Amino acid sequence: MTLLISRRELIAATSAAFAFQIAPAALAAGTVENKRLLTVVLRGALDGLALAAPTGDPTYESARGGLIVPASQIGPEFRLNDTFSLNPNMKNLAGLYHKKQALIVHAVATPYRRRSHFDGQDILESGHPAPRGERTGWMNRLIQQLPHVRTTAGKIGFAAGADLPLIMRGKAGVVSWAPPGLPASSDDTRARLLDIYNHSSPEMAELFEAGLELEGLSEATGASGSMTMGNSMSPRGASKLAKATAIAAGKLLSSDDGPRIGAMDLQGFDTHARQNPLKGRLVGLLKRLDDVIGQLEVSMADVWDETVVLFITEFGRTVRMNGTGGTDHGVGTVAILVGGAVNGGRVVADWPGLSAGALFEGRDLHPTTDLRAVLKGVASEHLGVPGDRLAGEVFPDSQSVRPMADLVRT
Amino acid sequence: MNAGYLATKRFGLGARPGDVARLSADPRGQLMAALQPDSNISAPVPGFTDIPSMVHAGRAWISKRKEMLAKDTSDDAIKNVRRAIGRNLYIRTYENAAIARASHAISTDQPFVERLVQYWSNHFAVSAGKGGALRALAGHYENNAIRPHVLGNFRDMLHAVVKHPMMIGYLDNRRSIGPNSRIGRKTGKGLNENLAREILELHTLGVNGGYLQTDVTNFARILTGWTIYGPKSPDAYTFWFRKRIHEPGTWTVLGRKFGDHGLAQGEAVLDMLAAHPATAKYVATRFCKHFVSSNPPPTLVARLERTFLETRGDLAELARALVSSDEAWQAERPKLLPPYDFFVAAYRATGAQVEARFFLRTLNNMGQPVWAPPSPEGWPEEDDAWMTPSALVERLDIANTIARRTRLAGSVPSWVQDILGDSLNQNTMLTLQRAESRQQAIALALMTAEFQRR
């Protein structure tokens, strides 16, 4: 049931939307049918403590050691409240927070308590409490609960990317948009492959390293001959790709007769090494994330007041730094909500603290909020899906998880 | 090393889930079983019913286009043509056949047979890059001249190849005219040696096979008249022995005299070449170079050479001799998969959905478009032919894309075990387990030396 549309068709669809400004009465602003929801899956496990640091927690500095942002580096615009500060790379997010259009839920986690990316993402996207090789995603099942809306392609769901992510798979038809060229594999993927070659095939390691060097040269001279957009795997290429994807998603979701419910993802948050929050690998990732937030605000300007954008990740990272200046897989992390419909300017957290005794299994931020409470809160308040449907079909076996209230302006 | 795994690499197209386990108990026996004469060697979709009707349809497309663009050649007019009558029919036919071939390779449960089809198709290489209607014939060529004979006889394949319009067109024999033929005398036109030379050099004796320039010239004389009907004929582009351009006379090739019996004269030369000891040596060597290494063990080559001679070019026996040898199972694996084979192996392993445009574009970019090698020599067989630094980086992009389209039924580690047996070392397995997403793990697995080599 996937419909692939080309970039040209996307532009055509968008301009067609501009040509017919008179929306059907049923789609008047404020009705459920007109609401937008975009979920951005941050793959690799985002370090929630690096994004929103508990700078007011007396145990923060000792617990995080080399991973802290010094207080002197945090301008007033990044102070969220007495306890939390944003990473100074999150300029757009900070702006939205002070406009009360961004909300951060902290110490949050899915029901998953182990630390495999695959299973973690399965649970995050399937909406089931345990990994079970689920083939459908909670957003697709959510779409099935929504009233019918007339759209150009006849579909309410939308996914950006070369494939359909699990979160959007299912019975409901979904429009998908793929960026031209091959999607990039990240610096991180390259580094891991090089490690594999170094331990298995010196010859291929040498070849691969030479190839990376050549590519760097051709990029530096602008003589790129590769087929990939933004020539792929450089951080710059990945950022360009993320930006293009955000613009496409934003435009499509904001056209009158386009899809309403979308999903996209950003990769590479698995920062096992060199994670210094001010100059390490995480900086580029956070900037990319912040850039996407900024792009969405612009490209969805027309429908911003009807919009919630959710940023979720499979789990968090260890509180303490590991041996390579990074962090390993953890549990508790953040969820971020932005959009004109968000009841923002708040950090929502039942804060467990970072003292040794407070940590989950002695190493991770203890999760005190079930992510499903957040997702169910958005689904019920923003999209009007009744609680029994949410607990039954969308998030099975979640009766005990009450939807979080007041996430959305009503 | 797991012999089942090695079998899927060396004698197959890469494992589909279950293949390694199925082959492990008796890899040799199973490969041998695939070489029975009743083995399924069915062809993928041909794309058209017969050559003349395809050529006529292609020509009708061209004249229709001409007519539509007679007055207006603007970009818009060209777009309208596309909308009304589609893209060039010859190109579409070629692309459909190429896609059908890859799809068949990805899904077949006779991968060894398919490897042999690819091998012999490359031994008798043609190029769709020649253009025109020939482009559309590449798939027909493989399905009709090569495929039916891969478990049959070398002589029969050679005959089928040299009489196929694709080979005649590709190596320019269409207009090779005997100077003393009726038309030659009238027009003063003459020989084109290309086909004769390549048969001797690339298809049979090999460049050191002991032939001289006079053998080439005489063979070219003998092959005059081996042509194809013109495009307007009801038999367009099918084989035609045209007596009026055939050089009369008795000619000597490799010391043997061939009397002028028309078509039979050339057929007799082909028979001699197929049975020649130099051909046995050349074929055995090239076969081993492809399946084992650039420098194949001389004992292996000698055994296959003997098999070829003793069985009078039985190609199933040749393949059996390879599989039953110990040398062909040596653990060292110097060869990097050619791009096409990488593509096929990745899709067999992952079960990802193949998308036609992605397939065609990717193979072009990787430098191995289907049926379009750079020369009549075909794609290179040297171990390191495809080992260039930028190609390896490019493959990671492709692996990444394929990984994104993959839906595994089980966990990554069990899938890897299924596809690659126990060939990965502990560090690689750990890296795959710790990958940041399933996609990343799949892409990395497709890039391991154990996946990329055969």
Side-chain angles (χ1 to χ4, degrees):
Chain A
M1 285 286 281
T2 307
L3 177 72
L4 273 169
I5 54 177
S6 71
R7 179 182 244 188
R8 186 177 303 159
E9 284 165 321
L10 172 71
I11 292 163
T14 315
S15 54
F18 290 129
F20 300 100
Q21 284 292 354
I22 308 158
L27 299 186
T31 62
V32 166
E33 287 86 343
N34 212 22
K35 302 292 184 190
R36 266 70 170 181
L37 173 64
L38 172 65
T39 303
V40 183
V41 177
L42 308 176
R43 293 184 197 281
L46 167 71
D47 186 353
L49 294 170
L51 182 119
T55 42
D57 183 327
T59 57
Y60 166 63
E61 294 195 2
S62 59
R64 288 233 98 185
L67 297 173
I68 62 157
V69 182
S72 62
Q73 301 280 328
I74 304 172
E77 69 272 33
F78 296 106
R79 303 230 172 248
L80 301 178
N81 57 27
D82 291 345
T83 311
F84 295 101
S85 305
L86 270 185
N87 183 290
N89 292 296
M90 304 302 295
K91 295 195 173 68
N92 292 316
L93 181 58
L96 285 171
Y97 186 88
H98 293 296
K99 280 197 271 182
K100 302 202 184 305
Q101 294 184 349
L103 179 147
I104 290 165
V105 187
H106 221 316
V108 71
T110 69
Y112 182 63
R113 289 292 173 273
R114 298 183 60 195
R115 297 178 182 86
S116 146
H117 288 298
F118 314 140
D119 287 348
Q121 288 171 29
D122 263 10
I123 285 174
L124 181 74
E125 297 182 71
S126 73
H128 280 275
R132 41 171 247 182
E134 179 58 36
R135 295 343 288 169
T136 69
W138 65 262
M139 290 196 81
N140 192 288
R141 297 194 303 271
L142 176 64
I143 289 170
Q144 296 169 38
Q145 315 304 322
L146 299 178
H148 178 73
V149 183
R150 278 175 71 101
T151 65
T152 321
K155 298 183 172 68
I156 300 176
F158 160 75
D163 70 334
L164 202 55
L166 173 60
I167 196 167
M168 262 299 179
R169 272 179 245 153
K171 271 195 294 195
V174 172
V175 181
S176 71
W177 175 84
L182 294 186
S185 54
S186 62
D187 271 1
D188 175 67
T189 307
R190 296 169 150 195
R192 291 179 202 234
L193 183 59
L194 192 56
D195 178 70
I196 288 177
Y197 287 157
N198 277 329
H199 290 88
S200 62
S201 171
E203 194 193 3
M204 288 184 78
E206 198 183 313
L207 207 62
F208 188 61
E209 244 175 331
L212 296 179
E213 228 168 88
L214 272 176
E215 197 191 57
L217 272 180
S218 71
E219 263 185 11
T221 55
S224 159
S226 164
M227 58 182 156
T228 54
M229 172 170 162
N231 204 351
S232 81
M233 306 179 255
S234 68
R236 241 189 40 233
S239 291
K240 266 166 82 175
L241 184 72
K243 203 163 146 177
T245 307
I247 292 172
K251 280 197 171 159
L252 201 56
L253 284 168
S254 49
S255 64
D256 279 344
D257 47 2
R260 296 289 191 272
I261 310 292
M264 60 176 277
D265 56 15
L266 296 176
Q267 317 217 3
F269 288 92
D270 197 17
T271 47
H272 281 285
R274 293 181 291 114
Q275 197 198 295
N276 182 306
L278 290 176
K279 52 179 196 240
R281 223 158 63 74
L282 189 60
V283 171
L285 294 165
L286 291 179
K287 280 190 171 150
R288 192 178 303 162
L289 169 59
D290 195 57
D291 205 23
V292 164
I293 292 173
Q295 291 299 337
L296 288 171
E297 188 187 359
V298 173
S299 62
M300 298 187 78
D302 291 348
V303 295
W304 192 242
D305 285 347
E306 313 291 335
T307 296
V308 172
V309 184
L310 265 168
F311 293 86
I312 55 178
T313 186
E314 66 261 36
F315 43 69
R317 313 197 65 82
T318 50
V319 172
R320 281 183 284 273
M321 192 162 79
N322 67 13
T324 52
T327 49
D328 295 320
H329 302 178
V331 178
T333 184
V334 292
I336 307 162
L337 283 71
V338 303
V342 173
N343 179 18
R346 302 180 292 146
V347 178
V348 177
D350 176 5
W351 189 243
L354 296 180
S355 64
L359 301 186
F360 181 79
E361 294 181 353
R363 50 177 273 161
D364 304 329
L365 175 62
H366 204 110
T368 51
T369 300
D370 190 319
L371 180 65
R372 291 174 297 174
V374 180
L375 306 179
K376 286 169 86 169
V378 171
S380 72
E381 285 184 350
H382 189 53
L383 301 173
V385 179
D388 58 328
R389 290 300 190 82
L390 288 175
E393 271 134 79
V394 184
F395 298 100
D397 306 321
S398 69
Q399 288 81 356
S400 60
V401 182
R402 292 172 56 86
M404 192 178 270
D406 301 325
L407 292 173
V408 171
R409 273 178 229 287
T410 45
Chain B
M1 193 185 315
N2 181 315
Y5 153 71
L6 188 57
T8 65
K9 287 283 167 199
R10 188 152 293 170
F11 304 108
L13 296 163
R16 289 173 310 167
D19 282 357
V20 171
R22 201 165 40 73
L23 278 163
S24 287
D26 180 18
R28 274 201 176 105
Q30 299 222 26
L31 290 169
M32 295 289 200
L35 298 174
Q36 295 308 312
D38 60 348
S39 188
N40 177 18
I41 52 171
S42 66
V45 191
F48 54 87
T49 46
D50 65 294
I51 294 177
S53 56
M54 189 279 299
V55 173
H56 294 147
R59 284 171 57 81
W61 182 92
I62 291 167
S63 56
K64 182 80 189 160
R65 180 178 191 274
K66 220 174 183 173
E67 184 192 312
M68 289 177 78
L69 295 178
K71 288 185 191 122
D72 183 0
T73 55
S74 65
D75 286 0
D76 278 353
I78 290 169
K79 257 188 223 159
N80 282 335
V81 169
R82 270 200 169 193
R83 214 165 294 149
I85 59 173
R87 291 184 310 131
N88 184 311
L89 198 62
Y90 295 144
I91 296 177
R92 271 186 281 159
T93 307
Y94 158 76
E95 290 179 351
N96 289 340
I99 291 158
R101 183 207 212 214
S103 306
H104 183 66
I106 289 163
S107 62
T108 184
D109 54 7
Q110 296 284 3
F112 189 26
V113 172
E114 208 55 29
R115 265 292 288 286
L116 292 169
V117 171
Q118 286 177 26
Y119 173 76
W120 289 112
S121 188
N122 193 55
H123 179 98
F124 292 108
V126 292
S127 176
K130 193 92 174 177
L134 279 187
R135 189 193 293 266
L137 293 185
H140 186 279
Y141 169 75
E142 181 173 285
N143 284 339
N144 292 275
I146 304 291
R147 188 177 291 275
H149 305 293
V150 296
L151 301 180
N153 192 279
F154 182 81
R155 176 216 172 258
D156 297 344
M157 190 185 286
L158 180 64
H159 278 250
V161 159
V162 182
K163 284 178 187 162
H164 195 280
M166 184 76 207
M167 186 60 88
I168 288 171
Y170 176 53
L171 292 180
D172 308 309
N173 212 58
R174 235 177 122 177
R175 294 193 181 82
S176 180
I177 294 167
N180 298 305
S181 67
R182 271 171 63 184
I183 288 183
R185 269 178 295 153
K186 212 155 66 185
T187 60
K189 287 183 178 166
L191 296 178
N192 184 316
E193 292 181 353
N194 201 8
L195 177 61
R197 176 180 304 283
E198 303 302 20
I199 291 172
L200 297 173
E201 178 182 330
L202 299 173
H203 301 160
T204 59
L205 306 174
V207 68
N208 300 316
Y211 60 90
L212 303 170
Q213 176 57 42
T214 50
D215 296 311
V216 175
T217 312
N218 287 348
F219 187 23
R221 287 188 172 110
I222 291 168
L223 285 178
T224 51
W226 290 49
T227 186
I228 55 182
Y229 287 101
K232 290 177 197 162
S233 157
D235 299 315
Y237 277 67
T238 56
F239 181 69
W240 179 20
F241 180 72
R242 192 180 176 197
K243 198 154 183 355
R244 277 152 39 109
I245 59 171
H246 179 66
E247 181 75 354
T250 295
W251 302 101
T252 304
V253 178
L254 300 175
R256 228 178 96 182
K257 283 195 159 80
F258 293 88
D260 189 2
H261 308 291
L263 179 61
Q265 185 183 27
E267 288 174 335
V269 177
L270 293 181
D271 286 349
M272 173 191 68
L273 292 173
H276 200 281
T279 298
K281 187 182 176 70
Y282 171 74
V283 165
T285 308
R286 198 170 171 185
F287 198 68
C288 294
K289 264 189 172 182
H290 173 84
F291 284 99
V292 183
S293 96
S294 289
N295 296 304
T299 49
L300 178 66
V301 175
R303 200 168 320 124
L304 263 64
E305 189 184 330
R306 228 167 27 241
T307 303
F308 189 91
L309 278 175
E310 284 166 4
T311 64
R312 297 168 182 253
D314 185 323
L315 298 182
E317 286 299 338
L318 188 72
R320 264 183 221 118
L322 178 76
V323 171
S324 63
S325 76
D326 290 331
E327 295 96 322
W329 293 83
Q330 68 186 18
E332 197 193 331
R333 295 188 303 141
K335 285 182 180 293
L336 194 73
L337 293 176
Y340 178 85
D341 298 66
F342 162 55
F343 190 93
V344 167
Y347 278 89
R348 283 176 69 83
T350 58
Q353 201 68 34
V354 185
E355 202 236 318
R357 301 238 61 85
F358 172 67
F359 161 69
L360 294 167
R361 198 183 58 202
T362 302
L363 283 178
N364 266 330
N365 285 324
M366 287 198 288
Q368 200 183 27
V370 180
W371 298 310
S375 81
E377 206 175 351
W379 300 110
E381 300 288 8
E382 282 68 35
D383 293 345
D384 56 359
W386 299 101
M387 288 199 202
T388 68
S390 47
L392 199 56
V393 176
E394 202 172 358
R395 278 186 195 203
L396 179 57
D397 265 356
I398 293 155
N400 195 43
T401 303
I402 295 173
R404 284 191 71 103
R405 294 175 180 170
T406 299
R407 314 262 172 272
L408 292 185
S411 74
V412 172
S414 68
W415 168 73
V416 167
Q417 180 83 26
D418 190 337
I419 299 300
L420 296 175
D422 50 10
S423 62
L424 297 182
N425 70 27
Q426 205 181 358
N427 176 71
T428 304
M429 282 308 285
L430 271 177
T431 308
L432 296 183
Q433 276 160 32
R434 287 178 185 156
E436 74 164 23
S437 66
R438 191 165 294 201
Q439 274 164 24
Q440 188 185 51
I442 294 167
L444 290 172
L446 297 179
M447 289 305 293
T448 56
E450 291 77 5
F451 189 90
Q452 290 283 339
R453 289 180 182 275
R454 73 178 178 206

